Amino acid sequence: MIAKTSAEVGGMGHSLKRKEDLRFIRGKGNYVDDVNLPNMVYGHLVRSPYAHARLKSINIEKAKALPGVLAVITGEDLAKANLAWMPTLFFDKQMVLATGKVLFQSQEVAFVVAEDRYTAADAAELVDVEYEELPVLVDPHKSLDPSSPILRDDREQKSNHIFHWEVGDKQATDKAFQGADVKARVDAVFQRCHPAPLETCGCVADHNPATGRLTIYLTSQAPHAHRTLFALVGGIPENNIRVISPDIGGGFGNKVPIYPGYVCAVVASLTLGRPVKWIESRSENLQSTGFARDYHMTAELAASKDGKIQALRVKTLADHGAFNAAAQPTKFPAGLFSVCTGAYDYPSAFCEVDGVYTNKAPGGIAYRCSFRVTEAAYLIERAVDVLAQELKIDPADLRRKNFIAPSKFPYKSALGWTYDSGNYEPAMKLALDKVGYAELRKEQEEKRQKGELMGIGISSFVEIVGAGPSHTFDIAGIKMFDSCEIRIHPTGKGICRMGTKSQGQGHETTYAQIVAQELGIPAADITVEEGDTDTAPYGLGTYASRSTPVSGAATAMAARKIREKAKKIAAHLLECSEADLEWEPGKFFVKGTPSKTKTIQEIAFAAYTNHPQGMEAGLEAVDYYDPPNLTFPFGTYVCVVDIDKGTGEVKVRRFVAVDDCGNIINPMIVDGQVHGGLTEGLGIAFMQLIDYDENGNVQGGSFMDYLLPTAVETPHWETDKTCTPSPHHPFGAKGVGESPNVGSPAAFVNAVVDALSHLGVKHIDMPITPWKVWTILKEKGVVS
Amino acid sequence: MAKKQLVHIKVNGRDREAMVEPRLLLVHFIREVLELTGTHVGCDTTHCGACTVVLDGKTVKSCTLFAVQADGSELLTVEGLMKDGKLHPLQEGFKEEHGLQCGFCTPGMLMSSYALLQKNNKPNEEDIRWGISGNLCRCTGYQNIVKAVQYAAGKMAQGGTR
Amino acid sequence: MALRIEKTLKVNEPIEKVWAFLSDPRKVATCVPGAKITEQIDEKTYKGSISVKVGPIVTDYKGEIQIVRLDAANHEIELLGKGQDVRGRGSAAMNMTGKLRSDDRMTEMTSVSEVNVVGILAQMGARVITEVSNIMFGEFTKNFQAKLQHEDEAPSSGEGKPISATSLAWEAGKRLFHRDS
């Protein structure tokens, strides 16, 4: 049990207002585009209009001649410095600027640098590129056809196949299927979508020839990893590189990869000796930066006729676009997709994934999903509903019947994950009670008699976050520990720095609350800094909901080291032995004599003015935390929808989200995360798709076509919690940022399918647009 | 390149003037000429509303106006909301109700809400949601923004309108 | 992006006069807004260009027009036009079949075009390209009728006046929202 601190101290469990808000509400945030350095110039990329074409010539003379233009860089220029290609975060390489050919529409072809951004844009229009069109491949199902063009000339193996990955016991699974009473199957596409944070990607690369240092202001969720990669790839000494991620306007995974624009800006700055700013437009962001999903999946469940699941079999085709730029741990080409076994207890499973190339934007990054966990959770929760439909069992009952029992934790899943803790039934019960499930089913029956369409969708998801233990996890070779450094000043205030980087998650408040909890120093007295690689300890950054599980743990551990030293100082000040001392947040006191006490502030002062002889002065600690395991947040979401029979429009009437993320630091911030993630899930389920026509023209390339939910479409989200702490985390927390995006798509889709299941509908692929629904209604003869 | 023109704009109560290209967008004028970087650019198709400012009392998307079109007008940006060192009730509301996370949409949201409350000082939830429907947010799901505006409306009703 | 555009227009002229005009790409080019024939390569092939501006997007396609089929007896012409944008913004290809039919004094032309657009314009989607082609066909019809009327006058310069960008975008925009077609 975690001792509750006073509201003034603001430790765990307090809904402290955020410390970072003051600058944002005054318009004084410092985002990358707000950075203005003396002598700064602007970069603009020239991009390919073709999805697949040979680069015949690039004529930069007219561009260079425009007054105000300082440089025009092409792939050939970069090739001379061995920089035309750069490694991706997953064993592939990606063109920085195209040489030879282009592989997706909007691919980077040249970089123009000019005195101001308008001139740079003008000059980019003047770059004349001659292309020779080549046949285009946009259907991943055709990538392996012998008649399809081979996209990657640069690879030794001339094929569009990137990887094959499998896990589980194929034999046992096939056997279980052979002997099964019932088999259910769903073919589900998790469509290509895009995180679209409101701030696009960009940087200011500032090479100072006088000092030899390169400072890069960067929209980066992982500043240290980026610094190391710039050093390795660019051959610049790492101590001469400083990456600063100032305020970031949303990341959601979009700001984890290194993009060609960054590299071009760095090269330009090194060449010109001036700061070079490159900020992409929204269209560039949607068309060329890390997309998400594009998983074409098939799941089969084998079950007994009373609904006990026996086995799961999954086959997935992963479309990675032109380069495999997926950002995920190196041993996992399909990320943590194998958590697709879900919240259910059964002995056998087999999962295989094949990755292929197409003429589309590169990537496959985690969009608020801890490396493919959205795809996994969506798949199993859809499959379970399909099974329920097949067996004619209520979907809540089917889930309850198959949930992993609390006594079984830590639970080893059939695909090899050890779930740390879980208690799925109470979370589902809370959600069902809160939404009034039984009454809703009655209402649905009545409405069906009248020909009205309403549906209830359940999603009981299990997340897997907090990557990760060094024995299994690394990104580009760097282990996935994280860090915290705390320094307490003489007057009892402190500063702490972490290897993570908030893009809105409230770290300046939540980390301070962890320190407040551990040391009893008011959160208001703790300054939190992240994102400057010169000062922050090394970390792998913030994505995959890993900050609280890993860096939060490091914060607690560092604080505990400080407490250990504080105890020694207290014993010195109180002239007793350490064994005589008791701790309560904020002070040590002598057992049995509470009046003999020293506050942490007094101890801090003493650390600099009266420390015991033989002990180092000061009061600080660093911790690099290697998590022993991942954490497994979970929950049940219930969605109620009504469908308009005239227009096919789906209205979300209610959405109840019960999350279990273990012990919570700041409930207000957790709820905010849930609201935001559910809204992203709403967009994905009903509105979003990045599609390509047969010529490789991108069809979701701007906000005209790629739709984000506004306040009008977004329903009121009802949230609640259960609490099943993580047994291995220093304060039992699990992380929650991504759960709502992981768990909600299935809830939305299950609800719509449930509304139409009596008409024989088994599955509808996202995005579930009114047109799609209306077409189904027409087909079934029920359009009004 | 067309000849630069002189524009006079009253910004947050102060008279400002500058020579600008006719094609200079108002948002770039605000961010780069006036160096008020609170107003943000979030898209290139006039959808997101991150660039929302109040021009002659009406909300406009400053990415879809030229600076020369604002010549002779009065402009209010997020930096102009504080008065005498005190936060505007809306700014207070956003802080009290956790109406922001990454903060990027916040200035636009504040300006749209400001204009909404000028027109309708007792908005219900639906009014608020429609009032900010031109501003996209990726972090908050809008729920707490609604509460923030309600907080401000309540405060302004008590302490007099601003 | 592949689009199929079918159009019909009527002119108050005898069929042979219309056919004479239609079977000469240089004459037809004078009616298409922004189009130009620059060179004749052989009896079937011409070099030409067309300038299309949609809002901020300017594309100047340079390419070839080929007469694939010329059937004077049935008054049918099939043309194939292919061009690449000079600024590397994309490419377009069009296969057009034009058929004439007459009933006494009126001649009716039916055209079926299969247009394939690759590049920035295609990102706008079918809805914008369709609107733009509707507008261009509207202008073509006006010019076609006018030129036919004045056929007996001075020879044409071989150049069609390009539509202004603003009017094109404005028209397209209006139509998108009012859907009066």
Side-chain angles (χ1 to χ4, degrees), chain A residues 178-233:
Chain A
Q178 276 155 27
D181 296 335
V182 183
K183 292 190 269 265
R185 173 189 163 132
V186 66
D187 294 305
V189 177
F190 207 128
Q191 81 280 29
R192 179 177 279 238
C193 51
H194 194 284
L198 204 62
E199 179 207 27
T200 59
C201 301
C203 68
V204 178
D206 178 19
H207 177 248
N208 186 337
T211 61
R213 288 203 96 205
L214 170 68
T215 304
I216 313 173
Y217 294 85
L218 192 61
T219 49
S220 166
Q221 296 178 233
H224 292 91
H226 285 164
R227 183 191 70 193
T228 305
L229 290 171
F230 274 116
L232 292 174
V233 173

Side-chain angles (χ1 to χ4, degrees), chain A residues 319-357:
Chain A
D319 184 339
H320 280 266
F323 311 105
N324 185 354
Q328 61 207 354
T330 57
K331 295 187 178 62
F332 299 92
L336 304 181
F337 183 64
S338 48
V339 79
C340 55
T341 47
Y344 314 105
D345 188 5
Y346 47 90
S348 321
F350 179 69
C351 169
E352 52 182 332
V353 182
D354 284 279
V356 295
Y357 290 122

Side-chain angles (χ1 to χ4, degrees), chain B residues 104-123:
Chain B
F104 202 74
C105 76
T106 306
M109 284 288 180
L110 282 167
M111 302 322 288
S112 289
S113 312
Y114 174 87
L116 168 69
L117 291 179
Q118 299 280 307
K119 271 203 307 237
N120 175 359
N121 60 3
K122 284 199 188 55

Side-chain angles (χ1 to χ4, degrees), chain A residues 177 242 415 718:
Chain A
F177 271 87
R242 178 184 186 188
L415 291 180
E718 299 169 63

